[in-house]
Amino acid sequence: MQRLFAIIGDPVKQARSPDVFNALAAERGVDAIMLSLHVGAEDFAGVLDGLSGVRNFEGAVVTIPHKRAAFLQCGSHGRAAEAAGVANVVRKTGDGLHGDLFDGFGMVNALRRAGVEPDGRSTLVVGAGGAGVAVAFALAEAGAAPIQVRDRDTDRCRQLVHQLTQSGYPACEFADDFQGLRLVVNCTPLGLDPADPLPVAPERLDPDCVVADAVMAGRATRLTAAASARGHAVVPGEEMLAGQMPAIWSFFGLPGETDISAAKR
Amino acid sequence: MQRLFAIIGDPVKQARSPDVFNALAAERGVDAIMLSLHVGAEDFAGVLDGLSGVRNFEGAVVTIPHKRAAFLQCGSHGRAAEAAGVANVVRKTGDGLHGDLFDGFGMVNALRRAGVEPDGRSTLVVGAGGAGVAVAFALAEAGAAPIQVRDRDTDRCRQLVHQLTQSGYPACEFADDFQGLRLVVNCTPLGLDPADPLPVAPERLDPDCVVADAVMAGRATRLTAAASARGHAVVPGEEMLAGQMPAIWSFFGLPGETDISAAKR
């Protein structure tokens, strides 16, 4: 019986996960398939409930705007999901759903695959929501330092800084000084809609500052387009998801090594 | 966005519909896929509700044991589904689900593809449930005559005979005389489990009597195996479903001619 997996989002048309996943399945001779499911926020809980009743459905990647709802629907969570309060992967267990969050891991992988080593890199994380928490912690673990955080919600900005420093990482609130920054990661949803304002002003960045975007828009976001035009190296959100597929493959209990290079195609 | 379709059943592993459907999609260049969903009776309503919330999910083929539940979950029905009180296909509409029943159509096609013309053929339909109603009416429309019906539930047996005769078809209850029968169709679920008793005794059939089975077991049923061993031409249940795929393709609103031969591969 074919093992079924899904990516659930709105929008989801642009998602590359099924291509990467299905190529892995073909390469490894595993009878499994990942499908793109276009689901609005109002239907997410019902869809996930319904899918849970399909015996050969085993798990899903969850993207905007469902990551918080996915977390809430899970009976248990991995460490990263627990810390961020959101989940981007869920799998069926004998006893409900288990959720976890691989976005931070995926961003670090995507940067490294683009030749950008986070270790020792002065970094600004814009957005202290679920994606921001995941990305900030993964970058901190990868050695990025110092890490500055910005969010218009100053409470949650301070909370993330506090979590990072409590964990032993050098972190602070953003001081509005772009000098010396070598990496900026947009973890706000700004850019999903082409009419969104820019999350940061590219003209204030040093030329060697890498610009990464967690937004998956299926095209260049205003931010990555503007940064590219100014000569910055950019890493789009699609790469963050592609970068985590081998780890997600293992999370789903599928056989084979989680060789990162296998998802590079 | 890929258009999603499913076949839902328990068991469903043996279903050939996805292969036939997906071959049609590839041949016609339509970005659509049909998946096998293994769903128990207790989960069917929730799964169908959940799938309805997936915007790119458009419809499903429904098989044992869900055909009655599918009918009940639909807000509107085609003529054959209305007559039988069961549905084997559902599609999303702007206003809920619409169900229909192509089993009878599929059986007639399967017989013709096997070189068995129903017109003028003395026929016994065993089982007067949903499948029996569908098959009996389709055979009657194709000219099979006389049609005899047998069901251990004598009320529903008489009801089907009444419906047929009211519609102008020569039909009667089975008189336990196998002489001259040229087609027997099993429309009971007997045969799904290898331990089931035989729905008819093959040793009582004339040598030129064709034996068709509506049961999809993914292997020869006891009936088709025994009939084959005695030299009868047999038409298995899988053929009944394969025989209706081009019509189901159109029911789902997919583009292209409903050329029966296209499903013959």
Side-chain angles (χ1 to χ4, degrees):
Chain A
M1 192 80 214
Q2 191 173 45
R3 303 167 71 172
L4 303 181
F5 300 87
I7 177 164
I8 308 176
D10 180 21
V12 73
K13 193 174 176 176
Q14 77 292 347
R16 283 175 46 208
S17 307
D19 292 341
V20 178
F21 181 99
N22 295 333
L24 270 174
E27 182 182 284
R28 295 174 178 186
V30 176
D31 188 17
I33 188 171
M34 180 174 285
L35 301 151
S36 293
L37 305 187
H38 185 201
V39 177
E42 68 284 8
D43 293 315
F44 178 78
V47 168
L48 198 53
D49 263 346
L51 288 174
S52 299
V54 177
R55 294 190 198 162
N56 54 321
F57 169 80
E58 300 190 27
V61 176
V62 175
T63 184
I64 283 180
H66 305 308
K67 292 184 185 184
R68 175 67 179 163
F71 176 87
L72 295 173
Q73 208 155 339
C74 289
S76 65
H77 306 93
R79 200 175 57 86
E82 202 69 67
V86 299
N88 85 315
V89 282
V90 299
R91 71 167 176 243
K92 273 167 68 177
T93 68
D95 184 32
L97 294 168
H98 175 78
D100 211 336
L101 182 61
F102 287 94
D103 283 344
F105 175 91
M107 179 57 81
V108 168
N109 268 348
L111 288 166
R112 286 186 172 144
R113 284 161 55 183
V116 179
E117 174 53 49
D119 192 20
R121 198 171 278 265
S122 174
T123 297
L124 168 60
V125 173
V126 185
V133 171
V135 166
F137 267 90
L139 285 171
E141 281 174 32
I147 291 177
Q148 299 186 68
V149 181
R150 185 170 94 179
D151 197 300
R152 62 181 180 185
D153 179 338
T154 53
D155 283 347
R156 83 175 177 180
C157 184
R158 279 173 199 150
Q159 190 185 347
L160 174 52
V161 169
H162 180 72
Q163 285 177 295
L164 287 165
T165 52
Q166 286 289 102
S167 303
Y169 300 120
C172 57
E173 278 186 82
F174 184 57
D176 204 39
D177 175 10
F178 286 84
Q179 298 296 314
L181 276 182
R182 294 182 58 228
L183 173 62
V184 171
V185 187
N186 173 42
C187 296
T188 75
L190 293 176
L192 198 61
D193 184 329
D196 287 337
L198 285 166
V200 293
E203 62 272 20
R204 298 191 60 191
L205 303 175
D206 287 348
D208 71 341
C209 182
V210 176
V211 176
D213 202 329
V215 168
M216 280 172 280
R219 48 168 170 72
T221 58
R222 270 189 72 196
L223 175 63
T224 56
S228 285
R230 299 182 67 87
H232 294 275
V234 302
V235 176
E238 286 77 9
E239 291 300 315
M240 180 181 79
L241 192 46
Q244 55 187 291
M245 279 311 295
I248 290 175
W249 179 270
S250 293
F251 171 83
F252 285 147
L254 291 163
E257 290 297 309
T258 58
D259 174 12
I260 300 302
S261 67
K264 274 190 182 172
R265 69 202 61 225
Chain B
M1 192 81 214
Q2 190 173 44
R3 303 168 72 172
L4 302 181
F5 300 88
I7 176 164
I8 307 176
D10 180 21
V12 73
K13 192 175 177 176
Q14 76 292 350
R16 283 175 46 210
S17 307
D19 293 340
V20 178
F21 182 99
N22 296 333
L24 270 175
E27 182 181 286
R28 295 174 179 187
V30 176
D31 188 16
I33 189 171
M34 179 174 285
L35 301 151
S36 292
L37 305 186
H38 184 199
V39 177
E42 68 284 10
D43 293 316
F44 177 78
V47 168
L48 199 52
D49 264 345
L51 288 174
S52 299
V54 177
R55 293 190 199 162
N56 54 320
F57 170 79
E58 300 189 28
V61 176
V62 174
T63 183
I64 283 180
H66 305 308
K67 292 184 186 185
R68 176 65 179 163
F71 176 86
L72 295 174
Q73 208 155 337
C74 289
S76 65
H77 306 94
R79 201 176 57 86
E82 202 69 67
V86 299
N88 84 317
V89 282
V90 299
R91 69 166 178 243
K92 274 167 67 178
T93 68
D95 183 33
L97 293 168
H98 176 77
D100 212 335
L101 181 62
F102 287 92
D103 283 344
F105 175 90
M107 179 57 82
V108 169
N109 267 348
L111 288 166
R112 286 185 173 148
R113 283 160 55 182
V116 178
E117 174 52 51
D119 192 20
R121 198 170 277 266
S122 173
T123 297
L124 168 61
V125 173
V126 185
V133 172
V135 166
F137 267 91
L139 285 171
E141 282 174 32
I147 290 179
Q148 301 186 68
V149 181
R150 184 169 94 179
D151 197 299
R152 61 181 180 186
D153 179 338
T154 51
D155 282 346
R156 82 176 179 181
C157 184
R158 279 174 199 149
Q159 189 184 347
L160 174 52
V161 168
H162 180 71
Q163 285 178 294
L164 287 164
T165 51
Q166 285 290 102
S167 303
Y169 301 119
C172 57
E173 278 187 82
F174 184 56
D176 204 40
D177 175 10
F178 286 84
Q179 298 297 314
L181 277 181
R182 293 183 57 228
L183 172 63
V184 172
V185 188
N186 173 42
C187 296
T188 75
L190 293 176
L192 199 59
D193 185 329
D196 285 338
L198 285 167
V200 292
E203 62 272 17
R204 299 191 60 190
L205 302 175
D206 288 346
D208 71 340
C209 181
V210 176
V211 176
D213 202 329
V215 168
M216 280 173 279
R219 46 167 172 73
T221 57
R222 270 188 74 194
L223 176 62
T224 56
S228 286
R230 299 181 69 86
H232 293 277
V234 302
V235 177
E238 287 76 9
E239 291 301 315
M240 179 181 78
L241 192 47
Q244 55 187 292
M245 281 310 296
I248 291 175
W249 178 271
S250 293
F251 171 83
F252 286 146
L254 290 162
E257 289 298 309
T258 58
D259 175 12
I260 299 303
S261 67
K264 273 191 183 171
R265 67 203 62 225

